[in-house]
Amino acid sequence: MAWFVFFQMLFNLGLIATGYWFYTKKKFIFSQQSQSPTQTLVEEWKKNWEAERQNSEQQLAIQLRSMRNLYDQTKRLLEEKQALLSPFPVSQEEREIKSFVQEKAVPEIPTLADFELEKERLKQESPLDLRTILKEQLC
């Protein structure tokens, strides 16, 4: 039993000494300076990667803007000059077909009132089925 008390007191003394050591060194242990070199290296890599990502985003935005401007300029030039992308001259038939397609009127979409008028007109017309035609011929 004496040995148990002796080891228990030794253990408690060790715990108290460890607690005291942590208490006196807590600023060093929990400060940024106590980070391991790998953690600081990882933090540096994160910062560098973030900076590179932002830089690449800016470069991509600049490139996209310049491509959009180039596209707009090309489109404007083609519209102004009405350039044909064919190496051969346009034939008379092609010109006539293009003019016919451009002049072709777009048909209007009929409304419900138009359908009702057409329905009434068809009701008022005389029926032209085979039975009525034969009746008229026999009479």
Side-chain angles (χ1 to χ4, degrees), residues 23-47:
Y23 178 75
T24 57
K25 303 291 184 180
K26 71 178 176 183
K27 288 184 181 177
F28 177 75
I29 292 172
F30 297 114
S31 69
Q32 288 285 8
Q33 297 170 354
S34 68
Q35 285 185 345
S36 66
T38 57
Q39 288 176 340
T40 56
L41 186 61
V42 168
E43 292 297 322
E44 270 185 51
W45 284 351
K46 278 184 180 179
K47 289 177 185 175

PDB file of all heavy atoms in Angstrom, residues 23-47:
ATOM      1  N   TYR A  23       1.622  26.296 -18.275  1.00  0.00           N
ATOM      2  CA  TYR A  23       1.161  27.624 -17.892  1.00  0.00           C
ATOM      3  C   TYR A  23       2.216  28.678 -18.185  1.00  0.00           C
ATOM      4  O   TYR A  23       1.912  29.763 -18.666  1.00  0.00           O
ATOM      5  CB  TYR A  23       0.779  27.640 -16.402  1.00  0.00           C
ATOM      6  CG  TYR A  23       0.333  28.994 -15.924  1.00  0.00           C
ATOM      7  CD1 TYR A  23      -0.927  29.482 -16.263  1.00  0.00           C
ATOM      8  CD2 TYR A  23       1.172  29.784 -15.139  1.00  0.00           C
ATOM      9  CE1 TYR A  23      -1.333  30.729 -15.832  1.00  0.00           C
ATOM     10  CE2 TYR A  23       0.770  31.038 -14.702  1.00  0.00           C
ATOM     11  CZ  TYR A  23      -0.483  31.509 -15.057  1.00  0.00           C
ATOM     12  OH  TYR A  23      -0.890  32.752 -14.635  1.00  0.00           O
ATOM     13  N   THR A  24       3.469  28.377 -17.911  1.00  0.00           N
ATOM     14  CA  THR A  24       4.528  29.363 -18.138  1.00  0.00           C
ATOM     15  C   THR A  24       4.883  29.486 -19.624  1.00  0.00           C
ATOM     16  O   THR A  24       5.312  30.545 -20.064  1.00  0.00           O
ATOM     17  CB  THR A  24       5.793  29.004 -17.349  1.00  0.00           C
ATOM     18  OG1 THR A  24       6.233  27.699 -17.709  1.00  0.00           O
ATOM     19  CG2 THR A  24       5.537  29.075 -15.856  1.00  0.00           C
ATOM     20  N   LYS A  25       4.697  28.434 -20.400  1.00  0.00           N
ATOM     21  CA  LYS A  25       5.076  28.446 -21.810  1.00  0.00           C
ATOM     22  C   LYS A  25       3.881  28.607 -22.742  1.00  0.00           C
ATOM     23  O   LYS A  25       4.005  28.421 -23.947  1.00  0.00           O
ATOM     24  CB  LYS A  25       5.806  27.136 -22.172  1.00  0.00           C
ATOM     25  CG  LYS A  25       7.022  26.848 -21.351  1.00  0.00           C
ATOM     26  CD  LYS A  25       8.121  27.821 -21.663  1.00  0.00           C
ATOM     27  CE  LYS A  25       9.363  27.438 -20.874  1.00  0.00           C
ATOM     28  NZ  LYS A  25      10.461  28.327 -21.111  1.00  0.00           N
ATOM     29  N   LYS A  26       2.701  28.959 -22.231  1.00  0.00           N
ATOM     30  CA  LYS A  26       1.517  28.967 -23.078  1.00  0.00           C
ATOM     31  C   LYS A  26       1.598  30.012 -24.190  1.00  0.00           C
ATOM     32  O   LYS A  26       1.098  29.792 -25.282  1.00  0.00           O
ATOM     33  CB  LYS A  26       0.251  29.178 -22.266  1.00  0.00           C
ATOM     34  CG  LYS A  26       0.060  30.550 -21.693  1.00  0.00           C
ATOM     35  CD  LYS A  26      -1.247  30.639 -20.949  1.00  0.00           C
ATOM     36  CE  LYS A  26      -1.362  32.013 -20.304  1.00  0.00           C
ATOM     37  NZ  LYS A  26      -2.551  32.114 -19.525  1.00  0.00           N
ATOM     38  N   LYS A  27       2.243  31.140 -23.975  1.00  0.00           N
ATOM     39  CA  LYS A  27       2.377  32.134 -25.035  1.00  0.00           C
ATOM     40  C   LYS A  27       3.211  31.581 -26.177  1.00  0.00           C
ATOM     41  O   LYS A  27       2.912  31.801 -27.342  1.00  0.00           O
ATOM     42  CB  LYS A  27       3.006  33.407 -24.487  1.00  0.00           C
ATOM     43  CG  LYS A  27       2.088  34.196 -23.610  1.00  0.00           C
ATOM     44  CD  LYS A  27       2.716  35.494 -23.180  1.00  0.00           C
ATOM     45  CE  LYS A  27       1.771  36.262 -22.285  1.00  0.00           C
ATOM     46  NZ  LYS A  27       2.376  37.499 -21.796  1.00  0.00           N
ATOM     47  N   PHE A  28       4.243  30.866 -25.853  1.00  0.00           N
ATOM     48  CA  PHE A  28       5.099  30.281 -26.876  1.00  0.00           C
ATOM     49  C   PHE A  28       4.396  29.142 -27.596  1.00  0.00           C
ATOM     50  O   PHE A  28       4.489  29.007 -28.819  1.00  0.00           O
ATOM     51  CB  PHE A  28       6.408  29.777 -26.248  1.00  0.00           C
ATOM     52  CG  PHE A  28       7.307  29.101 -27.246  1.00  0.00           C
ATOM     53  CD1 PHE A  28       8.024  29.851 -28.162  1.00  0.00           C
ATOM     54  CD2 PHE A  28       7.426  27.716 -27.263  1.00  0.00           C
ATOM     55  CE1 PHE A  28       8.848  29.230 -29.073  1.00  0.00           C
ATOM     56  CE2 PHE A  28       8.245  27.099 -28.184  1.00  0.00           C
ATOM     57  CZ  PHE A  28       8.963  27.853 -29.086  1.00  0.00           C
ATOM     58  N   ILE A  29       3.663  28.340 -26.880  1.00  0.00           N
ATOM     59  CA  ILE A  29       3.017  27.168 -27.467  1.00  0.00           C
ATOM     60  C   ILE A  29       1.881  27.574 -28.393  1.00  0.00           C
ATOM     61  O   ILE A  29       1.724  27.041 -29.497  1.00  0.00           O
ATOM     62  CB  ILE A  29       2.500  26.225 -26.358  1.00  0.00           C
ATOM     63  CG1 ILE A  29       3.679  25.613 -25.618  1.00  0.00           C
ATOM     64  CG2 ILE A  29       1.613  25.141 -26.928  1.00  0.00           C
ATOM     65  CD1 ILE A  29       3.284  24.815 -24.393  1.00  0.00           C
ATOM     66  N   PHE A  30       1.072  28.540 -27.977  1.00  0.00           N
ATOM     67  CA  PHE A  30      -0.126  28.887 -28.738  1.00  0.00           C
ATOM     68  C   PHE A  30       0.057  30.095 -29.646  1.00  0.00           C
ATOM     69  O   PHE A  30      -0.899  30.581 -30.210  1.00  0.00           O
ATOM     70  CB  PHE A  30      -1.294  29.146 -27.775  1.00  0.00           C
ATOM     71  CG  PHE A  30      -1.663  27.929 -26.982  1.00  0.00           C
ATOM     72  CD1 PHE A  30      -1.485  27.894 -25.609  1.00  0.00           C
ATOM     73  CD2 PHE A  30      -2.175  26.812 -27.613  1.00  0.00           C
ATOM     74  CE1 PHE A  30      -1.825  26.773 -24.878  1.00  0.00           C
ATOM     75  CE2 PHE A  30      -2.517  25.690 -26.885  1.00  0.00           C
ATOM     76  CZ  PHE A  30      -2.346  25.661 -25.521  1.00  0.00           C
ATOM     77  N   SER A  31       1.263  30.590 -29.798  1.00  0.00           N
ATOM     78  CA  SER A  31       1.486  31.741 -30.665  1.00  0.00           C
ATOM     79  C   SER A  31       1.778  31.277 -32.088  1.00  0.00           C
ATOM     80  O   SER A  31       2.004  30.093 -32.362  1.00  0.00           O
ATOM     81  CB  SER A  31       2.645  32.583 -30.139  1.00  0.00           C
ATOM     82  OG  SER A  31       3.850  31.881 -30.294  1.00  0.00           O
ATOM     83  N   GLN A  32       1.832  32.227 -33.031  1.00  0.00           N
ATOM     84  CA  GLN A  32       2.119  31.920 -34.429  1.00  0.00           C
ATOM     85  C   GLN A  32       3.555  31.447 -34.594  1.00  0.00           C
ATOM     86  O   GLN A  32       3.864  30.720 -35.515  1.00  0.00           O
ATOM     87  CB  GLN A  32       1.888  33.166 -35.299  1.00  0.00           C
ATOM     88  CG  GLN A  32       0.448  33.536 -35.488  1.00  0.00           C
ATOM     89  CD  GLN A  32      -0.256  32.606 -36.470  1.00  0.00           C
ATOM     90  OE1 GLN A  32       0.290  31.602 -36.908  1.00  0.00           O
ATOM     91  NE2 GLN A  32      -1.481  32.945 -36.803  1.00  0.00           N
ATOM     92  N   GLN A  33       4.455  31.869 -33.710  1.00  0.00           N
ATOM     93  CA  GLN A  33       5.854  31.493 -33.833  1.00  0.00           C
ATOM     94  C   GLN A  33       6.062  30.015 -33.554  1.00  0.00           C
ATOM     95  O   GLN A  33       7.040  29.436 -33.989  1.00  0.00           O
ATOM     96  CB  GLN A  33       6.705  32.315 -32.863  1.00  0.00           C
ATOM     97  CG  GLN A  33       6.677  33.792 -33.159  1.00  0.00           C
ATOM     98  CD  GLN A  33       7.327  34.585 -32.055  1.00  0.00           C
ATOM     99  OE1 GLN A  33       7.692  34.035 -31.021  1.00  0.00           O
ATOM    100  NE2 GLN A  33       7.465  35.880 -32.277  1.00  0.00           N
ATOM    101  N   SER A  34       5.134  29.433 -32.861  1.00  0.00           N
ATOM    102  CA  SER A  34       5.310  28.033 -32.513  1.00  0.00           C
ATOM    103  C   SER A  34       4.848  27.087 -33.621  1.00  0.00           C
ATOM    104  O   SER A  34       4.962  25.881 -33.471  1.00  0.00           O
ATOM    105  CB  SER A  34       4.536  27.715 -31.231  1.00  0.00           C
ATOM    106  OG  SER A  34       3.144  27.806 -31.480  1.00  0.00           O
ATOM    107  N   GLN A  35       4.318  27.638 -34.724  1.00  0.00           N
ATOM    108  CA  GLN A  35       3.879  26.772 -35.813  1.00  0.00           C
ATOM    109  C   GLN A  35       5.078  26.064 -36.420  1.00  0.00           C
ATOM    110  O   GLN A  35       6.173  26.599 -36.480  1.00  0.00           O
ATOM    111  CB  GLN A  35       3.176  27.583 -36.898  1.00  0.00           C
ATOM    112  CG  GLN A  35       1.784  28.025 -36.527  1.00  0.00           C
ATOM    113  CD  GLN A  35       1.105  28.708 -37.698  1.00  0.00           C
ATOM    114  OE1 GLN A  35       1.751  29.083 -38.664  1.00  0.00           O
ATOM    115  NE2 GLN A  35      -0.186  28.873 -37.586  1.00  0.00           N
ATOM    116  N   SER A  36       4.811  24.901 -36.869  1.00  0.00           N
ATOM    117  CA  SER A  36       5.897  24.139 -37.486  1.00  0.00           C
ATOM    118  C   SER A  36       6.221  24.752 -38.850  1.00  0.00           C
ATOM    119  O   SER A  36       5.400  25.439 -39.453  1.00  0.00           O
ATOM    120  CB  SER A  36       5.479  22.678 -37.634  1.00  0.00           C
ATOM    121  OG  SER A  36       4.410  22.580 -38.555  1.00  0.00           O
ATOM    122  N   PRO A  37       7.420  24.487 -39.351  1.00  0.00           N
ATOM    123  CA  PRO A  37       7.802  25.053 -40.655  1.00  0.00           C
ATOM    124  C   PRO A  37       6.891  24.588 -41.788  1.00  0.00           C
ATOM    125  O   PRO A  37       6.670  25.332 -42.745  1.00  0.00           O
ATOM    126  CB  PRO A  37       9.229  24.546 -40.859  1.00  0.00           C
ATOM    127  CG  PRO A  37       9.712  24.124 -39.529  1.00  0.00           C
ATOM    128  CD  PRO A  37       8.517  23.794 -38.711  1.00  0.00           C
ATOM    129  N   THR A  38       6.353  23.400 -41.673  1.00  0.00           N
ATOM    130  CA  THR A  38       5.465  22.918 -42.738  1.00  0.00           C
ATOM    131  C   THR A  38       4.173  23.718 -42.776  1.00  0.00           C
ATOM    132  O   THR A  38       3.646  23.996 -43.848  1.00  0.00           O
ATOM    133  CB  THR A  38       5.144  21.425 -42.550  1.00  0.00           C
ATOM    134  OG1 THR A  38       4.572  21.230 -41.258  1.00  0.00           O
ATOM    135  CG2 THR A  38       6.377  20.572 -42.700  1.00  0.00           C
ATOM    136  N   GLN A  39       3.658  24.109 -41.615  1.00  0.00           N
ATOM    137  CA  GLN A  39       2.430  24.900 -41.595  1.00  0.00           C
ATOM    138  C   GLN A  39       2.658  26.282 -42.199  1.00  0.00           C
ATOM    139  O   GLN A  39       1.824  26.783 -42.946  1.00  0.00           O
ATOM    140  CB  GLN A  39       1.901  25.034 -40.167  1.00  0.00           C
ATOM    141  CG  GLN A  39       1.314  23.741 -39.624  1.00  0.00           C
ATOM    142  CD  GLN A  39       0.880  23.890 -38.177  1.00  0.00           C
ATOM    143  OE1 GLN A  39       1.331  24.803 -37.490  1.00  0.00           O
ATOM    144  NE2 GLN A  39       0.031  22.984 -37.726  1.00  0.00           N
ATOM    145  N   THR A  40       3.789  26.893 -41.873  1.00  0.00           N
ATOM    146  CA  THR A  40       4.081  28.208 -42.455  1.00  0.00           C
ATOM    147  C   THR A  40       4.300  28.081 -43.954  1.00  0.00           C
ATOM    148  O   THR A  40       3.897  28.960 -44.726  1.00  0.00           O
ATOM    149  CB  THR A  40       5.309  28.845 -41.794  1.00  0.00           C
ATOM    150  OG1 THR A  40       6.426  27.968 -41.909  1.00  0.00           O
ATOM    151  CG2 THR A  40       5.034  29.171 -40.345  1.00  0.00           C
ATOM    152  N   LEU A  41       4.909  26.995 -44.385  1.00  0.00           N
ATOM    153  CA  LEU A  41       5.126  26.763 -45.809  1.00  0.00           C
ATOM    154  C   LEU A  41       3.798  26.581 -46.526  1.00  0.00           C
ATOM    155  O   LEU A  41       3.579  27.129 -47.620  1.00  0.00           O
ATOM    156  CB  LEU A  41       6.025  25.533 -46.005  1.00  0.00           C
ATOM    157  CG  LEU A  41       6.476  25.236 -47.424  1.00  0.00           C
ATOM    158  CD1 LEU A  41       7.290  26.405 -47.966  1.00  0.00           C
ATOM    159  CD2 LEU A  41       7.287  23.958 -47.451  1.00  0.00           C
ATOM    160  N   VAL A  42       2.883  25.838 -45.904  1.00  0.00           N
ATOM    161  CA  VAL A  42       1.564  25.641 -46.501  1.00  0.00           C
ATOM    162  C   VAL A  42       0.819  26.968 -46.610  1.00  0.00           C
ATOM    163  O   VAL A  42       0.165  27.249 -47.614  1.00  0.00           O
ATOM    164  CB  VAL A  42       0.751  24.604 -45.681  1.00  0.00           C
ATOM    165  CG1 VAL A  42      -0.705  24.590 -46.085  1.00  0.00           C
ATOM    166  CG2 VAL A  42       1.354  23.215 -45.830  1.00  0.00           C
ATOM    167  N   GLU A  43       0.917  27.790 -45.584  1.00  0.00           N
ATOM    168  CA  GLU A  43       0.269  29.099 -45.620  1.00  0.00           C
ATOM    169  C   GLU A  43       0.846  29.960 -46.743  1.00  0.00           C
ATOM    170  O   GLU A  43       0.114  30.656 -47.447  1.00  0.00           O
ATOM    171  CB  GLU A  43       0.421  29.815 -44.274  1.00  0.00           C
ATOM    172  CG  GLU A  43      -0.351  29.179 -43.143  1.00  0.00           C
ATOM    173  CD  GLU A  43      -1.850  29.216 -43.374  1.00  0.00           C
ATOM    174  OE1 GLU A  43      -2.344  30.228 -43.911  1.00  0.00           O
ATOM    175  OE2 GLU A  43      -2.525  28.228 -43.036  1.00  0.00           O
ATOM    176  N   GLU A  44       2.166  29.909 -46.927  1.00  0.00           N
ATOM    177  CA  GLU A  44       2.798  30.651 -48.019  1.00  0.00           C
ATOM    178  C   GLU A  44       2.300  30.154 -49.365  1.00  0.00           C
ATOM    179  O   GLU A  44       2.012  30.937 -50.271  1.00  0.00           O
ATOM    180  CB  GLU A  44       4.327  30.490 -47.956  1.00  0.00           C
ATOM    181  CG  GLU A  44       5.030  31.509 -47.135  1.00  0.00           C
ATOM    182  CD  GLU A  44       6.537  31.352 -47.237  1.00  0.00           C
ATOM    183  OE1 GLU A  44       7.063  31.290 -48.368  1.00  0.00           O
ATOM    184  OE2 GLU A  44       7.171  31.278 -46.180  1.00  0.00           O
ATOM    185  N   TRP A  45       2.218  28.833 -49.527  1.00  0.00           N
ATOM    186  CA  TRP A  45       1.730  28.263 -50.780  1.00  0.00           C
ATOM    187  C   TRP A  45       0.292  28.690 -51.047  1.00  0.00           C
ATOM    188  O   TRP A  45      -0.058  29.004 -52.174  1.00  0.00           O
ATOM    189  CB  TRP A  45       1.805  26.742 -50.744  1.00  0.00           C
ATOM    190  CG  TRP A  45       3.186  26.194 -50.912  1.00  0.00           C
ATOM    191  CD1 TRP A  45       4.312  26.864 -51.255  1.00  0.00           C
ATOM    192  CD2 TRP A  45       3.561  24.829 -50.729  1.00  0.00           C
ATOM    193  NE1 TRP A  45       5.376  26.014 -51.292  1.00  0.00           N
ATOM    194  CE2 TRP A  45       4.947  24.739 -50.972  1.00  0.00           C
ATOM    195  CE3 TRP A  45       2.884  23.680 -50.368  1.00  0.00           C
ATOM    196  CZ2 TRP A  45       5.648  23.555 -50.897  1.00  0.00           C
ATOM    197  CZ3 TRP A  45       3.583  22.488 -50.289  1.00  0.00           C
ATOM    198  CH2 TRP A  45       4.955  22.436 -50.552  1.00  0.00           C
ATOM    199  N   LYS A  46      -0.529  28.698 -50.011  1.00  0.00           N
ATOM    200  CA  LYS A  46      -1.917  29.142 -50.177  1.00  0.00           C
ATOM    201  C   LYS A  46      -1.969  30.577 -50.680  1.00  0.00           C
ATOM    202  O   LYS A  46      -2.718  30.904 -51.596  1.00  0.00           O
ATOM    203  CB  LYS A  46      -2.675  29.054 -48.850  1.00  0.00           C
ATOM    204  CG  LYS A  46      -3.196  27.700 -48.506  1.00  0.00           C
ATOM    205  CD  LYS A  46      -4.001  27.799 -47.211  1.00  0.00           C
ATOM    206  CE  LYS A  46      -4.565  26.486 -46.778  1.00  0.00           C
ATOM    207  NZ  LYS A  46      -5.309  26.604 -45.511  1.00  0.00           N
ATOM    208  N   LYS A  47      -1.176  31.447 -50.065  1.00  0.00           N
ATOM    209  CA  LYS A  47      -1.156  32.850 -50.483  1.00  0.00           C
ATOM    210  C   LYS A  47      -0.678  32.981 -51.922  1.00  0.00           C
ATOM    211  O   LYS A  47      -1.245  33.740 -52.715  1.00  0.00           O
ATOM    212  CB  LYS A  47      -0.265  33.668 -49.546  1.00  0.00           C
ATOM    213  CG  LYS A  47      -0.854  33.859 -48.162  1.00  0.00           C
ATOM    214  CD  LYS A  47       0.105  34.606 -47.260  1.00  0.00           C
ATOM    215  CE  LYS A  47      -0.432  34.696 -45.838  1.00  0.00           C
ATOM    216  NZ  LYS A  47       0.533  35.316 -44.923  1.00  0.00           N
TER     217      LYS A  47
END
